[in-house]
Amino acid sequence: MPNAIAPAFKEFTEVHDPELLKPLLDPVISHLIYNAPETLVGLLKQHGSPLNLVWPHAFQANATALQALLNQFGIRHAIFYGAKANKSQSLLAAAASAGFGVDVSSVHELDAARRAGTPAEHLCATGPAKTSAFHRALVREGSLICVDSMEEFDHLKSLVESLPPPVKARVLLRYRPLDCPSSRFGMSANDLLLCLQRLAELKDMFHFEGFHFHLGGYAFETRVQAFRELGGFVDAAREMSLEPKMIDIGGGLPMRYIDPQAYASFLQNNNQPSHYHNQKVPESFYPYGSPLSACQWLAMFLEAPHSPGQSIATYLKEQNITLALEPGRSLVDQAAISIFRVTRSKQLANNKTVIFIEGSSFSACETWFSSEYLVDPILISTQESAPTPMRAYIAGHSCLDDDVITHRLIHFSTTPQPGDLLIYANTAGYQMDLLENQFHRHPLPQRLTATCCTQGHYAFSPDY
Ligand SMILES: Cc1ncc(COP(=O)(O)O)c(C=O)c1O
């Protein structure tokens, strides 16, 4: 049952926006931060730091926008939420209530999606390392399986043979596009053809449904190229009397954390070695100020030419093929914030300041990828004091010099004090819980589902 939290005490709070990389904020979340910051202070007193607040309404808004765009193009489509992006059960429930399927990469994600109400036939299993137990559950429940290799195909065949008939595995074949020959994911053109031949001979064991790929990076152009490469395999499958009905282009739709112009200006003017306490600018960043939203990206993909005079959307319609997508990060855009409480700050010998927070980089994990989360935190001051602007990098409770939340020196319009809060916005996509652990035996951060009941009234309940 949702547990409405009224601020138990009214204490001093003041919200300070970051000067540089100001996060774009969902209006409901923004209303809570700017109008009821004392609620957040109270929640951290109750649930500890860091605290993850998960907002399913943001998932719903992203889902509605994506659906509307696909309907506008009039193509058959299937969306599988990439559940690896976040461990929240309430976001899985939001996917189920949007009528989306779920892309699952383990038997545990499968169980969680089923608990959230997703029918088994709306699950699509991806990844090259599926275990026997996972395969067995997928076959038993009638879920779709993206076969990653000939080796996986053989494994699946032995499994189906070992089960009492009639039983069939529903499969897509994962293609490895030409420009990523050394990737460990997917099959080469030769293996794909071999697999199609085997499928044509084993129709009593397999139900072949189509093709799949998922690419790194966030460019729609690479997906267009891979999609075009699959055209010949669709034809080849039909010549073998197979019926490809689906092409699943995976995830990788971009999302926007901050205004694109502000981001471009930051990269140009405020991203030199002197802006980092360790004097090192990371080599690459996620495109935090993506010029394209997820829907614009998808529209560009669908409008791109498949062949002269024929767009990808037209190809899909003419060939009667369903476009499947597996968005993870972009579906959870705005769907969580992570809040850390400040422990203290410390002056260092090199004239730099570090702010310690309760938590660790395992709950804000970009530095583990030699990168940085280029979204600045919002500061909630809890003590009245004269403004004292400063710059500091931010570290948690782990014990290595390089293990920090951010190496970047963040500008604060006033110095964060013990007990103040730092709010990191938009952390649902891989940020908040991908690497979380119990280092130093700190308990795992709590996750609360947040809902806005009526204007200005919020409810928070444990998110299991
Ligand atoms: C097979 C597959 N599908 C979907 C996704 C989700 O990608 P994103 O969160 O970038 O949309 C991933 C992410 O690694 C993936 O490996």
Side-chain angles (χ1 to χ4, degrees), residues 183-253:
S183 167
R184 72 174 186 277
F185 299 100
M187 285 185 256
S188 66
N190 278 348
D191 281 357
L192 207 64
L193 280 175
L194 270 177
C195 223
L196 285 173
Q197 279 158 8
R198 309 268 307 271
L199 285 166
E201 292 155 10
L202 296 168
K203 284 188 175 169
D204 51 337
M205 294 168 83
F206 291 96
H207 193 264
F208 168 70
E209 301 198 9
F211 300 98
H212 163 68
F213 60 80
H214 169 79
L215 303 179
Y218 302 94
F220 74 89
E221 293 90 338
T222 52
R223 276 73 180 179
V224 170
Q225 180 54 30
F227 189 96
R228 286 196 200 120
E229 289 170 24
L230 275 178
F233 297 98
V234 170
D235 297 341
R238 288 186 176 145
E239 278 160 26
M240 296 177 202
S241 307
L242 294 167
E243 290 172 29
K245 291 185 303 200
M246 174 178 281
I247 297 182
D248 176 345
I249 65 166
L253 286 71

Side-chain angles (χ1 to χ4, degrees), residues 82 84-85 103 126-127 174 212 214 218 250-253 326-330 430:
K84 53 183 79 63
D103 151 26
T126 59
R174 181 164 179 168
H212 163 68
H214 169 79
Y218 302 94
L253 286 71
E326 296 166 357
R329 190 191 285 257
S330 58
Y430 303 104

